[in-house]
Coordinates of all heavy atoms in Angstrom, one line a residue:
I1 N 242.7 116.8 178.5 CA 242.1 118.0 178.1 C 243.2 119.1 178.0 O 243.1 120.0 177.2 CB 241.0 118.4 179.1 CG1 239.9 117.4 178.9 CG2 240.5 119.9 178.8 CD1 238.7 117.6 179.9
G2 N 244.1 119.1 178.9 CA 245.2 120.2 178.9 C 245.1 121.0 180.1 O 244.4 120.8 181.1
N3 N 245.9 122.1 180.1 CA 245.9 123.1 181.2 C 244.9 124.2 181.0 O 244.6 124.6 179.9 CB 247.3 123.7 181.2 CG 248.4 122.7 181.5 OD1 248.2 121.7 182.2 ND2 249.6 122.9 181.0
V4 N 244.5 124.7 182.1 CA 243.5 125.8 182.2 C 244.3 127.1 182.0 O 245.4 127.3 182.7 CB 242.7 125.8 183.5 CG1 241.9 127.1 183.6 CG2 241.9 124.6 183.7
D5 N 244.0 127.9 181.0 CA 244.6 129.2 180.8 C 243.6 130.3 181.1 O 244.0 131.3 181.6 CB 245.2 129.3 179.4 CG 246.4 128.5 179.2 OD1 247.2 128.3 180.1 OD2 246.6 128.0 178.1
W6 N 242.4 130.2 180.6 CA 241.4 131.2 180.7 C 240.1 130.6 181.3 O 239.9 129.4 181.1 CB 241.0 131.7 179.3 CG 242.1 132.4 178.6 CD1 243.2 131.9 177.9 CD2 242.2 133.8 178.4 NE1 244.0 132.8 177.4 CE2 243.4 134.1 177.7 CE3 241.5 134.9 178.8 CZ2 243.8 135.3 177.4 CZ3 241.9 136.2 178.5 CH2 243.1 136.4 177.8
I7 N 239.4 131.4 182.1 CA 238.1 131.0 182.6 C 237.1 131.9 182.0 O 237.2 133.2 182.2 CB 238.1 130.9 184.1 CG1 239.0 129.7 184.6 CG2 236.7 130.7 184.6 CD1 239.1 129.6 186.1
F8 N 236.1 131.4 181.4 CA 234.9 132.2 180.9 C 233.8 132.1 181.9 O 233.4 131.0 182.1 CB 234.6 131.9 179.5 CG 235.6 132.2 178.4 CD1 236.8 131.4 178.3 CD2 235.5 133.4 177.7 CE1 237.7 131.8 177.4 CE2 236.4 133.7 176.8 CZ 237.5 132.9 176.6
V9 N 233.3 133.2 182.4 CA 232.1 133.1 183.2 C 231.0 133.6 182.4 O 231.0 134.7 181.9 CB 232.4 134.1 184.5 CG1 231.1 134.1 185.3 CG2 233.6 133.7 185.3
L10 N 229.9 132.8 182.3 CA 228.7 133.2 181.5 C 227.6 133.5 182.4 O 227.3 132.9 183.4 CB 228.3 131.9 180.7 CG 229.4 131.2 179.9 CD1 228.8 129.9 179.3 CD2 230.0 132.1 178.9
A11 N 227.1 134.8 182.2 CA 226.1 135.4 183.0 C 224.9 135.9 182.3 O 225.1 136.6 181.4 CB 226.7 136.4 183.9
G12 N 223.7 135.5 182.8 CA 222.5 136.1 182.2 C 222.3 137.4 182.9 O 222.3 137.5 184.2
G13 N 222.1 138.5 182.1 CA 222.0 139.9 182.7 C 220.6 140.2 183.2 O 220.3 141.4 183.6
G14 N 219.7 139.2 183.2 CA 218.3 139.6 183.5 C 217.9 139.5 185.0 O 216.8 139.8 185.4
G15 N 218.8 139.2 185.8 CA 218.6 139.2 187.2 C 219.0 137.8 187.8 O 219.6 137.0 187.2
G16 N 218.6 137.6 189.0 CA 218.9 136.3 189.6 C 220.4 136.2 190.0 O 221.1 137.2 190.2
T17 N 220.9 135.0 190.0 CA 222.3 134.8 190.4 C 223.3 135.3 189.4 O 224.4 135.6 189.8 CB 222.5 133.3 190.6 OG1 222.2 132.6 189.4 CG2 221.7 132.8 191.8
G18 N 223.0 135.4 188.1 CA 223.9 135.9 187.2 C 224.4 137.3 187.4 O 225.5 137.7 187.1
S19 N 223.6 138.1 188.0 CA 223.9 139.5 188.3 C 225.0 139.6 189.3 O 225.6 140.7 189.4 CB 222.7 140.3 188.8 OG 221.7 140.2 187.8
A20 N 225.3 138.6 190.0 CA 226.3 138.7 191.1 C 227.6 137.9 190.7 O 228.4 137.8 191.6 CB 225.7 138.1 192.4
C21 N 227.7 137.6 189.5 CA 228.9 136.8 189.1 C 230.2 137.5 189.3 O 231.2 136.8 189.6 CB 228.7 136.3 187.6 SG 229.0 137.7 186.4
A22 N 230.3 138.8 189.3 CA 231.6 139.4 189.5 C 232.1 139.3 190.9 O 233.3 139.4 191.1 CB 231.4 140.9 189.2
A23 N 231.3 138.8 191.8 CA 231.7 138.6 193.2 C 232.6 137.3 193.2 O 233.4 137.1 194.1 CB 230.5 138.2 194.1
L24 N 232.6 136.6 192.1 CA 233.5 135.4 192.0 C 234.9 135.7 191.5 O 235.7 134.9 191.4 CB 232.8 134.3 191.1 CG 231.6 133.8 191.5 CD1 231.0 132.8 190.4 CD2 231.7 133.0 192.8
H25 N 235.1 136.9 191.1 CA 236.3 137.3 190.4 C 237.6 137.0 191.3 O 238.5 136.4 190.8 CB 236.4 138.8 190.0 CG 237.5 139.1 189.1 ND1 237.5 138.8 187.8 CD2 238.7 139.7 189.4 CE1 238.7 139.2 187.3 NE2 239.4 139.7 188.2
K26 N 237.6 137.4 192.5 CA 238.8 137.2 193.3 C 239.1 135.7 193.5 O 240.3 135.4 193.3 CB 238.5 137.9 194.7 CG 239.8 138.0 195.5 CD 239.6 138.8 196.7 CE 240.9 139.0 197.5 NZ 240.7 139.9 198.6
P27 N 238.2 134.8 193.9 CA 238.5 133.5 194.0 C 239.0 132.8 192.6 O 239.8 132.0 192.6 CB 237.3 132.8 194.6 CG 236.2 133.7 194.6 CD 236.9 135.1 194.4
I28 N 238.3 133.2 191.5 CA 238.7 132.6 190.3 C 240.1 133.0 189.9 O 240.9 132.3 189.4 CB 237.7 133.0 189.1 CG1 236.4 132.4 189.5 CG2 238.2 132.6 187.8 CD1 235.2 132.8 188.6
T29 N 240.4 134.4 190.1 CA 241.7 134.8 189.8 C 242.8 134.2 190.7 O 243.8 133.8 190.2 CB 241.8 136.4 190.0 OG1 240.8 137.0 189.2 CG2 243.2 136.9 189.7
R30 N 242.4 133.9 192.0 CA 243.4 133.2 192.9 C 243.7 131.9 192.4 O 244.8 131.4 192.4 CB 242.8 133.3 194.3 CG 243.8 132.7 195.3 CD 243.3 132.9 196.7 NE 241.9 132.4 196.9 CZ 241.0 133.1 197.5 NH1 241.2 134.3 198.1 NH2 239.7 132.7 197.6
Y31 N 242.6 131.2 191.9 CA 242.8 129.8 191.3 C 243.7 129.9 190.1 O 244.6 129.1 190.0 CB 241.4 129.2 190.9 CG 241.6 128.0 190.1 CD1 242.0 126.8 190.8 CD2 241.3 127.9 188.8 CE1 242.2 125.6 190.0 CE2 241.5 126.7 188.0 CZ 242.0 125.6 188.6 OH 242.2 124.5 188.0
L32 N 243.5 130.8 189.2 CA 244.3 130.9 188.0 C 245.8 131.2 188.4 O 246.7 130.6 187.8 CB 243.9 132.0 187.0 CG 242.6 131.7 186.2 CD1 242.1 133.0 185.5 CD2 242.8 130.6 185.3
D33 N 246.0 132.0 189.5 CA 247.4 132.3 189.9 C 247.9 131.0 190.5 O 249.2 130.7 190.3 CB 247.3 133.4 190.9 CG 247.0 134.8 190.4 OD1 247.2 135.0 189.2 OD2 246.7 135.7 191.2
S34 N 247.1 130.2 191.2 CA 247.7 129.0 191.9 C 248.1 128.0 190.9 O 249.0 127.2 191.3 CB 246.6 128.5 192.9 OG 245.6 127.8 192.1
I35 N 247.6 127.9 189.7 CA 248.0 127.0 188.7 C 248.9 127.5 187.7 O 249.2 126.9 186.7 CB 246.7 126.3 188.1 CG1 245.9 127.4 187.3 CG2 246.0 125.5 189.1 CD1 244.9 126.7 186.4
E36 N 249.3 128.8 188.0 CA 250.3 129.5 187.1 C 249.7 129.7 185.6 O 250.5 129.5 184.7 CB 251.6 128.8 187.1 CG 252.2 128.9 188.5 CD 253.6 128.2 188.6 OE1 254.0 127.5 187.6 OE2 254.2 128.4 189.6
A37 N 248.5 129.9 185.5 CA 247.8 130.1 184.2 C 248.3 131.5 183.6 O 248.6 132.4 184.4 CB 246.3 130.1 184.3
T38 N 248.3 131.5 182.4 CA 248.7 132.8 181.7 C 247.6 133.6 181.3 O 247.8 134.8 180.9 CB 249.6 132.4 180.4 OG1 248.9 131.6 179.6 CG2 250.9 131.7 180.9
G39 N 246.4 133.0 181.3 CA 245.2 133.8 180.8 C 244.5 134.6 181.9 O 245.0 134.7 183.0
R40 N 243.3 135.0 181.6 CA 242.5 135.8 182.5 C 241.1 135.3 182.6 O 240.7 134.4 182.0 CB 242.5 137.2 182.0 CG 243.9 137.8 182.0 CD 244.0 139.1 181.3 NE 243.3 140.2 182.1 CZ 243.2 141.4 181.6 NH1 243.6 141.8 180.5 NH2 242.6 142.4 182.4
V41 N 240.4 135.9 183.5 CA 238.9 135.7 183.7 C 238.2 136.6 182.6 O 238.5 137.7 182.6 CB 238.4 135.9 185.1 CG1 236.9 135.6 185.2 CG2 239.2 135.2 186.1
V42 N 237.3 136.0 181.8 CA 236.6 136.8 180.9 C 235.1 136.5 181.2 O 234.6 135.4 181.4 CB 236.8 136.3 179.4 CG1 235.9 137.1 178.5 CG2 238.3 136.5 179.1
Y43 N 234.3 137.6 181.3 CA 232.9 137.6 181.5 C 232.1 137.7 180.2 O 232.4 138.6 179.4 CB 232.5 138.7 182.5 CG 233.1 138.5 183.9 CD1 234.3 139.0 184.2 CD2 232.4 137.7 184.8 CE1 234.9 138.8 185.4 CE2 233.1 137.5 186.0 CZ 234.3 138.1 186.3 OH 234.9 137.9 187.6
V44 N 231.1 136.8 180.0 CA 230.2 136.8 178.8 C 228.9 137.1 179.5 O 228.3 136.3 180.2 CB 230.2 135.5 178.1 CG1 229.3 135.6 176.9 CG2 231.7 135.2 177.6
V45 N 228.3 138.3 179.1 CA 227.0 138.7 179.7 C 226.0 138.9 178.6 O 226.2 139.5 177.6 CB 227.2 140.1 180.3 CG1 225.9 140.7 180.9 CG2 228.3 140.1 181.4
T46 N 224.8 138.2 178.9 CA 223.7 138.4 177.9 C 222.9 139.5 178.3 O 222.6 139.8 179.5 CB 222.9 137.1 177.9 OG1 222.3 136.8 179.1 CG2 223.7 135.9 177.4
K47 N 222.5 140.3 177.3 CA 221.6 141.4 177.5 C 220.1 140.9 177.5 O 219.7 140.3 176.5 CB 221.8 142.6 176.6 CG 220.9 143.7 176.7 CD 221.2 144.8 175.6 CE 220.3 146.0 175.7 NZ 220.5 146.9 174.7
P48 N 219.3 141.3 178.5 CA 217.9 141.0 178.4 C 217.2 141.6 177.1 O 217.7 142.6 176.6 CB 217.3 141.6 179.7 CG 218.5 141.8 180.6 CD 219.6 142.0 179.7
T49 N 216.2 141.1 176.7 CA 215.4 141.6 175.6 C 214.8 143.0 176.1 O 214.7 143.4 177.1 CB 214.2 140.7 175.2 OG1 213.3 140.6 176.2 CG2 214.8 139.4 174.7
G50 N 214.4 143.8 175.0 CA 213.8 145.1 175.3 C 212.5 145.0 176.2 O 212.3 145.8 177.1
Q51 N 211.7 143.9 176.0 CA 210.6 143.7 176.8 C 211.0 143.4 178.2 O 210.3 143.9 179.2 CB 209.7 142.6 176.2 CG 208.4 142.4 177.0 CD 207.4 141.5 176.2 OE1 207.7 141.0 175.2 NE2 206.3 141.3 176.9
E52 N 212.0 142.5 178.5 CA 212.4 142.2 179.8 C 212.9 143.4 180.5 O 212.8 143.6 181.7 CB 213.5 141.1 179.7 CG 213.0 139.7 179.3 CD 214.1 138.8 179.0 OE1 215.1 139.1 178.5 OE2 213.9 137.6 179.3
L53 N 213.7 144.3 179.7 CA 214.2 145.6 180.3 C 213.1 146.6 180.8 O 213.5 147.5 181.5 CB 215.2 146.2 179.4 CG 216.5 145.5 179.3 CD1 217.3 146.1 178.1 CD2 217.3 145.5 180.5
L54 N 211.8 146.3 180.4 CA 210.8 147.1 180.9 C 210.5 146.9 182.4 O 210.0 147.8 183.1 CB 209.5 146.9 180.1 CG 209.5 147.3 178.6 CD1 208.3 147.0 178.0 CD2 209.8 148.8 178.5
N55 N 210.9 145.8 182.9 CA 210.8 145.4 184.3 C 212.0 146.2 185.0 O 213.2 146.0 184.7 CB 211.0 143.9 184.5 CG 210.9 143.5 185.9 OD1 211.5 144.1 186.8 ND2 210.1 142.4 186.1
P56 N 211.7 147.1 185.9 CA 212.7 147.9 186.6 C 213.7 147.1 187.4 O 214.9 147.4 187.5 CB 212.0 148.8 187.5 CG 210.5 148.5 187.4 CD 210.3 147.4 186.4
T57 N 213.3 145.9 188.0 CA 214.3 145.0 188.6 C 215.3 144.5 187.7 O 216.5 144.5 187.9 CB 213.5 143.9 189.4 OG1 212.6 144.5 190.3 CG2 214.5 143.0 190.2
I58 N 214.9 144.0 186.6 CA 215.8 143.4 185.6 C 216.7 144.4 185.0 O 217.9 144.2 184.8 CB 214.9 142.7 184.4 CG1 214.2 141.5 185.0 CG2 215.8 142.4 183.2 CD1 213.3 140.8 184.0
A59 N 216.1 145.6 184.7 CA 217.0 146.7 184.2 C 218.0 147.1 185.2 O 219.2 147.3 184.9 CB 216.1 147.9 183.8
T60 N 217.7 147.2 186.4 CA 218.6 147.6 187.5 C 219.7 146.5 187.7 O 220.9 146.8 187.8 CB 218.0 147.8 188.9 OG1 217.0 148.9 188.7 CG2 218.9 148.2 189.9
N61 N 219.3 145.2 187.7 CA 220.3 144.1 187.8 C 221.2 144.1 186.6 O 222.4 143.9 186.8 CB 219.5 142.8 187.9 CG 218.9 142.6 189.2 OD1 219.2 143.3 190.2 ND2 218.0 141.7 189.3
Y62 N 220.7 144.4 185.4 CA 221.6 144.3 184.2 C 222.6 145.5 184.3 O 223.8 145.2 184.0 CB 220.7 144.4 183.0 CG 221.6 144.5 181.7 CD1 222.4 143.4 181.3 CD2 221.5 145.7 180.8 CE1 223.1 143.5 180.1 CE2 222.3 145.7 179.7 CZ 223.1 144.6 179.4 OH 223.8 144.6 178.2
K63 N 222.2 146.7 184.6 CA 223.1 147.8 184.7 C 224.1 147.6 185.8 O 225.3 147.9 185.6 CB 222.3 149.1 185.0 CG 221.5 149.6 183.9 CD 220.7 150.8 184.3 CE 219.7 151.2 183.1 NZ 218.8 152.2 183.5
S64 N 223.7 147.0 186.9 CA 224.7 146.7 188.0 C 225.7 145.7 187.5 O 227.0 145.8 187.8 CB 223.9 146.1 189.2 OG 224.8 145.7 190.2
L65 N 225.3 144.6 186.9 CA 226.2 143.6 186.4 C 227.2 144.2 185.4 O 228.4 144.0 185.5 CB 225.4 142.5 185.7 CG 226.2 141.4 185.0 CD1 227.2 140.7 186.0 CD2 225.2 140.4 184.3
L66 N 226.8 145.1 184.5 CA 227.6 145.7 183.5 C 228.7 146.6 184.3 O 229.9 146.5 183.9 CB 226.9 146.5 182.5 CG 226.2 145.7 181.4 CD1 225.5 146.7 180.4 CD2 227.1 144.8 180.6
K67 N 228.2 147.3 185.2 CA 229.1 148.2 186.0 C 230.2 147.3 186.7 O 231.4 147.6 186.7 CB 228.4 148.9 187.0 CG 229.2 149.9 187.9 CD 228.3 150.6 188.9 CE 229.2 151.1 190.0 NZ 228.7 151.0 191.3
D68 N 229.8 146.1 187.2 CA 230.8 145.3 187.9 C 231.8 144.6 187.0 O 232.9 144.4 187.4 CB 230.0 144.2 188.7 CG 229.2 144.7 189.9 OD1 229.5 145.8 190.3 OD2 228.3 144.0 190.3
V69 N 231.4 144.2 185.8 CA 232.3 143.5 184.9 C 233.1 144.4 184.0 O 234.0 143.9 183.4 CB 231.6 142.4 184.1 CG1 231.0 141.4 185.0 CG2 230.7 142.9 183.1
T70 N 232.8 145.7 183.9 CA 233.4 146.5 183.0 C 234.9 146.7 183.2 O 235.7 146.9 182.3 CB 232.7 148.0 183.0 OG1 231.4 147.9 182.6 CG2 233.4 148.9 182.1
K71 N 235.4 146.5 184.4 CA 236.8 146.6 184.8 C 237.6 145.4 184.4 O 238.8 145.5 184.5 CB 237.0 147.0 186.1 CG 236.3 146.1 187.2 CD 236.3 146.7 188.6 CE 235.3 146.0 189.4 NZ 234.8 146.8 190.5
Y72 N 236.9 144.3 184.0 CA 237.6 143.1 183.6 C 237.3 142.8 182.1 O 236.4 143.4 181.5 CB 237.0 141.9 184.4 CG 237.0 142.2 185.9 CD1 235.9 142.2 186.6 CD2 238.2 142.4 186.6 CE1 235.9 142.4 188.0 CE2 238.2 142.6 187.9 CZ 237.0 142.7 188.6 OH 237.0 142.9 190.0
P73 N 238.0 141.9 181.5 CA 237.7 141.5 180.1 C 236.3 141.0 180.1 O 235.9 140.2 181.0 CB 238.7 140.4 179.8 CG 239.8 140.7 180.7 CD 239.3 141.2 181.9
H74 N 235.5 141.5 179.1 CA 234.1 141.1 179.1 C 233.5 141.1 177.7 O 234.1 141.8 176.8 CB 233.3 141.9 180.1 CG 233.1 143.4 179.6 ND1 234.2 144.2 179.9 CD2 232.2 144.1 178.9 CE1 233.8 145.4 179.4 NE2 232.7 145.4 178.9
M75 N 232.4 140.4 177.5 CA 231.7 140.4 176.3 C 230.2 140.7 176.6 O 229.7 140.2 177.6 CB 231.8 139.0 175.7 CG 232.0 138.9 174.2 SD 232.1 137.2 173.7 CE 233.8 137.1 173.5
K76 N 229.6 141.6 175.8 CA 228.2 141.8 176.0 C 227.5 141.3 174.7 O 227.9 141.6 173.6 CB 227.9 143.3 176.1 CG 228.5 144.0 177.3 CD 228.1 145.4 177.4 CE 228.7 146.2 176.3 NZ 228.4 147.6 176.4
N77 N 226.4 140.5 174.9 CA 225.7 139.9 173.8 C 224.3 140.4 173.9 O 223.6 140.3 174.9 CB 225.8 138.4 173.9 CG 225.2 137.8 172.7 OD1 224.7 138.4 171.8 ND2 225.2 136.4 172.6
S78 N 223.9 141.0 172.8 CA 222.5 141.5 172.7 C 221.7 140.5 171.9 O 222.0 140.2 170.7 CB 222.6 142.9 172.0 OG 221.2 143.3 171.7
Y79 N 220.6 140.1 172.4 CA 219.7 139.2 171.7 C 219.2 139.9 170.5 O 219.0 139.3 169.5 CB 218.5 138.8 172.5 CG 218.9 137.8 173.7 CD1 218.5 138.1 175.0 CD2 219.5 136.7 173.4 CE1 218.8 137.2 176.0 CE2 219.9 135.7 174.4 CZ 219.5 136.1 175.7 OH 219.8 135.2 176.7
T80 N 218.9 141.2 170.6 CA 218.3 142.0 169.5 C 219.2 142.0 168.3 O 218.7 141.8 167.1 CB 218.1 143.3 170.0 OG1 217.3 143.4 171.2 CG2 217.3 144.1 168.9
Y81 N 220.5 142.2 168.5 CA 221.3 142.3 167.3 C 222.3 141.1 167.1 O 223.0 141.0 166.2 CB 222.3 143.5 167.5 CG 221.4 144.7 167.6 CD1 221.3 145.4 168.8 CD2 220.7 145.3 166.5 CE1 220.6 146.6 168.9 CE2 220.0 146.4 166.6 CZ 219.9 147.0 167.9 OH 219.1 148.2 167.9
S82 N 222.3 140.1 168.1 CA 223.1 139.0 168.0 C 224.5 139.3 167.7 O 225.2 138.7 166.9 CB 222.6 137.9 167.0 OG 221.3 137.5 167.4
V83 N 225.0 140.3 168.5 CA 226.4 140.8 168.4 C 227.1 140.7 169.7 O 226.6 141.0 170.7 CB 226.4 142.3 167.9 CG1 227.8 142.9 167.8 CG2 225.7 142.5 166.5
A84 N 228.4 140.2 169.6 CA 229.2 140.1 170.8 C 230.5 140.9 170.6 O 231.0 140.8 169.4 CB 229.4 138.7 171.2
R85 N 231.0 141.5 171.5 CA 232.3 142.2 171.3 C 233.1 141.9 172.6 O 232.6 142.0 173.7 CB 232.2 143.6 171.0 CG 232.0 144.6 172.1 CD 231.7 145.9 171.5 NE 231.1 146.7 172.6 CZ 231.7 147.5 173.4 NH1 233.0 147.8 173.2 NH2 231.0 148.1 174.3
L86 N 234.3 141.7 172.4 CA 235.3 141.4 173.5 C 236.0 142.7 173.9 O 236.6 143.3 173.0 CB 236.3 140.3 173.2 CG 237.3 140.0 174.2 CD1 236.6 139.4 175.4 CD2 238.2 138.9 173.7
V87 N 236.0 143.0 175.2 CA 236.7 144.2 175.6 C 237.8 143.7 176.6 O 237.4 143.1 177.7 CB 235.8 145.2 176.3 CG1 236.5 146.4 176.8 CG2 234.6 145.5 175.4
C88 N 239.1 143.9 176.3 CA 240.1 143.5 177.2 C 240.8 144.7 177.8 O 241.0 145.7 177.3 CB 241.1 142.6 176.5 SG 240.5 141.0 176.0

């Protein structure tokens, strides 16, 4: 397969365990450093639908997740527009 250079973390922004994925950043980064990888950790976050965002818990979890991953390379994907953009 080859060497690991980048790790992509896929997270559902609607709540549950995906909302806490940024807590993994330090150990994942440490792993990349230990294997002398040249890439970084990139987060891919899905945005809940408009109807799901009417639920205050889901809306809060999504906002919290975005706040946590904004300082790292990340991608936000909106189901509504099916658009993704990478921010490094």
Side-chain angles (χ1 to χ4, degrees):
I1 293 176
N3 297 328
V4 174
D5 285 326
W6 295 76
I7 293 182
F8 289 82
V9 178
L10 311 176
T17 56
S19 298
C21 73
L24 299 173
H25 189 80
K26 192 172 183 176
I28 293 172
T29 302
R30 188 173 46 227
Y31 170 71
L32 288 174
D33 291 342
S34 75
I35 61 169
E36 299 178 347
T38 57
R40 298 170 69 184
V41 181
V42 176
Y43 294 89
V44 179
V45 177
T46 59
K47 180 180 179 183
T49 64
Q51 185 170 358
E52 290 171 325
L53 287 170
L54 294 175
N55 179 315
T57 301
I58 291 174
T60 300
N61 287 345
Y62 178 63
K63 289 175 188 173
S64 174
L65 174 58
L66 286 182
K67 180 180 165 223
D68 291 343
V69 301
T70 298
K71 55 191 157 203
Y72 309 117
H74 65 282
M75 217 181 258
K76 296 185 292 187
N77 186 356
S78 170
Y79 289 127
T80 307
Y81 302 108
S82 297
V83 173
R85 87 185 154 99
L86 178 62
V87 181
C88 288

